[in-house]
């Protein structure tokens, strides 16, 4: 019995010694310890405050070819509902269409000439709402409540002599036109977005592990002994993976077209050029992570720490306009946010360079910033 107790005590001592060793190692590995605390906190904040599946105050353009108290009542009803933010009052339908194609507005509400006269005569005039359905989840709730909002607004207007125009059937025929995705298919939104998500995850990770792998395998000395400048090292490290990104792009685009029947109505040249810039941006970021991390494990942790907010704040999983202002500002910093607008715009909306150049410029600025940081960090590792 005493021998058994002695053995158990010795086993417990060895167990505590190993646990103490792991605690010391964890304390020394500050980046891993920070990730253990930082990632759960980031998830809590993002899911608790930033994610909203019922977006409100969606920007709306109004094309009213006439002005009347009834039309103003309907517009006030849309505004007061909380779903529609009447941002533009236009007379030119072409200008409103351009705003919708560029993504500046989510809806265009149109009242034709003679709307008020036909309403008073009981002829059920048509009211048109055009929605940007390239992201069905962002517009679905506002569209589904539109008829109720209109009927409620007219209830307060059609009184007295106009009370007979307030039957069980709505006095206004609401026409909903889902632009760019008439059937509201989610794969039209998800599959093009997957191109950006997959490139972000793989390109940042494989490049982030490039330099740390050199350190762990003991080949970093050979690299440092070469008469190569930091910029040359960075470009040399990321160039082979551009080809990997090109292969991924080809596979995803072919699958999108042949397996999921996602339409492609825009310029292939513009899309491939945008993909190339996006790949370089993520590779440059991955190289920057490799200069910050001391091991491949840390490089993977940094990759995940960047990938999680990219996934949640870019508009891929949740409507971008449904997030609070501070989350949208953070999302604008992420290259995936701008790339999603480009790929969906080109594939679904036939967007040209003029409509996406601001998104391309944002990705280019991000690339230059992280590339400069990587070069500066690599210089310090040479000392």
């Amino acid at each position: 019995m005493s021998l058994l107790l002695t053995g158990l005590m010795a086993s417990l001592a060895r167990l505590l010694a190993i646990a103490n060793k792991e605690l010391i190692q964890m304390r020394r590995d500050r980046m891993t310890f920070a990730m253990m605390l930082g990632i759960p906190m980031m998830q809590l904040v993002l899911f608790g405050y930033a994610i909203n599946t019922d977006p409100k105050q969606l920007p709306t353009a109004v094309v009213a070819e006439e002005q009347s108290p009834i039309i103003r009542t309907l517009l006030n009803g849309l505004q007061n509902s909380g779903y529609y933010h009447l941002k533009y009052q236009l007379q030119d339908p072409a200008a409103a269409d351009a705003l919708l194609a560029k993504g500046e507005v989510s809806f265009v509400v149109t009242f034709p000439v003679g709307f008020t006269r036909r309403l008073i005569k009981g002829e059920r005039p048509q009211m048109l709402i055009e929605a940007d359905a390239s992201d069905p989840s962002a517009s679905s709730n506002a569209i589904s409540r539109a008829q109720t909002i209109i009927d409620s607004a007219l209830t307060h207007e059609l009184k007295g002599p106009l009370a007979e125009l307030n039957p069980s059937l709505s006095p206004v025929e609401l026409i909903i036109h889902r632009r760019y995705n008439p059937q509201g298919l989610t794969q039209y939104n998800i599959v093009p977005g997957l191109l950006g998500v997959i490139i972000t995850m793989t390109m940042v990770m494989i490049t982030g592990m490039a330099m740390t792998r050199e350190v762990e395998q003991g080949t970093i000395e050979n690299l440092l002994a070469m008469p190569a400048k930091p910029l040359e090292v960075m470009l040399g490290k990321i160039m082979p993976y551009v080809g990997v990104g090109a292969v991924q792009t080809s596979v995803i685009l072919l699958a999108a077209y042949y397996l999921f029947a996602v339409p492609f109505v825009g310029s292939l040249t513009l899309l491939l050029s945008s993909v190339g810039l996006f790949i370089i941006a993520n590779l440059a970021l991955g190289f920057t992570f490799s200069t910050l991390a001391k091991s491949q494990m840390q490089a993977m942790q940094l990759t995940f720490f960047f990938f999680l907010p990219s996934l949640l704040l870019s508009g891929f999983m949740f409507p971008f306009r449904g997030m609070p202002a501070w989350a949208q500002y953070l999302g604008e910093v992420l290259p995936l946010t701008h790339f999603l607008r480009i790929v969906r715009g080109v594939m679904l909306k036939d967007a040209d360079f003029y409509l996406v150049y601001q998104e391309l410029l944002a990705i280019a600025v991000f690339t230059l910033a992280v590339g400069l940081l990587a070069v500066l960090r690599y210089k310090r590792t040479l000392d």
Side-chain angles (χ1 to χ4, degrees):
M1 187 68 179
S2 60
L3 292 177
L4 179 60
L5 183 59
T6 302
L8 290 176
M9 294 297 294
S11 177
L12 180 60
R14 292 191 295 268
L15 178 63
L16 293 176
I18 295 174
N20 186 54
K21 175 258 183 188
E22 288 299 319
L23 288 174
I24 295 174
Q25 185 173 348
M26 184 188 303
R27 187 173 67 249
R28 291 176 177 176
D29 191 354
R30 297 180 179 178
M31 182 173 293
T32 299
F33 188 73
M35 291 296 173
M36 292 172 59
L37 297 178
I39 291 178
M41 289 300 299
M42 180 174 62
Q43 289 178 316
L44 181 63
V45 171
L46 293 182
F47 280 102
Y49 291 103
I51 304 307
N52 177 19
T53 57
D54 186 19
K56 302 289 185 68
Q57 297 298 319
L58 298 172
T60 303
V62 177
V63 179
E65 300 182 9
E66 66 177 32
Q67 296 293 332
S68 69
I70 289 180
I71 290 180
R72 287 193 292 270
T73 297
L74 290 173
L75 293 179
N76 289 334
L78 293 174
Q79 180 77 40
N80 295 334
S81 70
Y83 286 98
Y84 300 87
H85 171 51
L86 306 183
K87 191 174 181 180
Y88 299 96
Q89 297 279 348
L90 305 172
Q91 298 295 328
D92 184 10
D97 187 72
L99 291 175
L100 194 66
K102 195 175 181 180
E104 293 289 334
V105 297
S106 298
F107 303 98
V108 175
V109 179
T110 302
F111 296 93
V113 174
F115 177 87
T116 303
R117 177 179 56 81
R118 293 191 61 198
L119 178 65
I120 294 175
K121 293 175 63 176
E123 297 179 356
R124 295 195 73 224
Q126 292 183 343
M127 173 182 170
L128 175 63
I129 295 183
E130 297 174 277
D132 182 356
S134 58
D135 185 359
S137 62
S139 57
S140 59
N141 286 341
I143 291 176
S144 64
R145 288 167 171 78
Q147 187 69 65
T148 303
I149 295 170
I150 292 170
D151 293 344
S152 177
L154 288 176
T155 299
H156 299 285
E157 186 71 21
L158 301 180
K159 296 180 179 180
L162 299 178
E164 62 181 13
L165 299 178
N166 198 8
S168 58
L169 182 64
S170 174
V172 174
E173 181 182 1
L174 179 63
I175 305 297
I176 303 294
H177 189 185
R178 293 176 173 84
R179 299 285 300 273
Y180 319 119
N181 187 3
Q183 297 176 324
L185 301 178
T186 56
Q187 57 260 39
Y188 284 15
N189 176 65
I190 295 297
V191 176
L194 280 175
L195 175 60
V197 171
I198 293 173
I199 288 177
T200 298
M201 180 176 61
T202 57
M203 294 295 103
V204 175
M205 181 177 296
I206 61 179
T207 319
M209 299 173 65
M211 291 298 296
T212 53
R213 184 172 58 248
E214 299 275 3
V215 175
E216 293 185 352
Q217 293 180 352
T219 58
I220 187 65
E221 291 83 1
N222 297 332
L223 183 63
L224 296 179
M226 294 176 60
K229 297 179 180 179
L231 180 61
E232 296 170 346
V233 174
M234 183 180 71
L235 294 178
K237 280 289 186 181
I238 69 177
M239 282 179 61
Y241 300 113
V242 175
V244 177
V247 173
Q248 289 181 334
T249 301
S250 302
V251 172
I252 295 172
L253 290 180
L254 290 174
Y257 187 78
Y258 289 104
L259 295 182
F260 300 99
V262 178
F264 194 113
V265 298
S267 169
L268 179 61
T269 302
L270 177 59
L271 178 61
L272 294 181
S273 301
S274 304
V275 171
L277 177 60
F278 183 65
I279 289 174
I280 294 174
N282 284 282
L283 291 175
L285 179 64
F287 189 87
T288 303
F289 285 167
S290 72
T291 64
L292 297 171
K294 297 180 180 179
S295 65
Q296 295 187 67
M297 178 61 71
Q298 288 187 357
M300 293 181 63
Q301 291 169 344
L302 286 172
T303 299
F304 185 75
F305 193 76
F306 173 79
F307 179 69
L308 181 61
S310 294
L311 195 65
L312 298 179
L313 300 181
S314 62
F316 173 74
M317 293 185 63
F318 305 99
F320 185 81
R321 288 196 173 102
M323 298 185 297
W326 64 266
Q328 293 188 32
Y329 290 142
L330 289 177
E332 293 289 350
V333 178
L334 304 172
L336 181 59
T337 302
H338 303 281
F339 181 75
L340 291 181
R341 296 170 184 169
I342 294 173
V343 67
R344 290 169 179 168
V346 173
M347 293 184 66
L348 302 179
K349 302 180 180 181
D350 191 18
D352 55 15
F353 177 78
Y354 171 74
L355 293 178
V356 301
Y357 81 93
Q358 292 181 335
E359 317 301 338
L360 289 171
L361 181 60
I363 298 176
V365 170
F366 179 88
T367 305
L368 291 176
V370 297
L372 179 61
L373 178 60
V375 170
L376 295 176
R377 288 287 308 177
Y378 184 76
K379 280 183 177 181
R380 284 196 286 268
T381 62
L382 293 175
D383 294 337

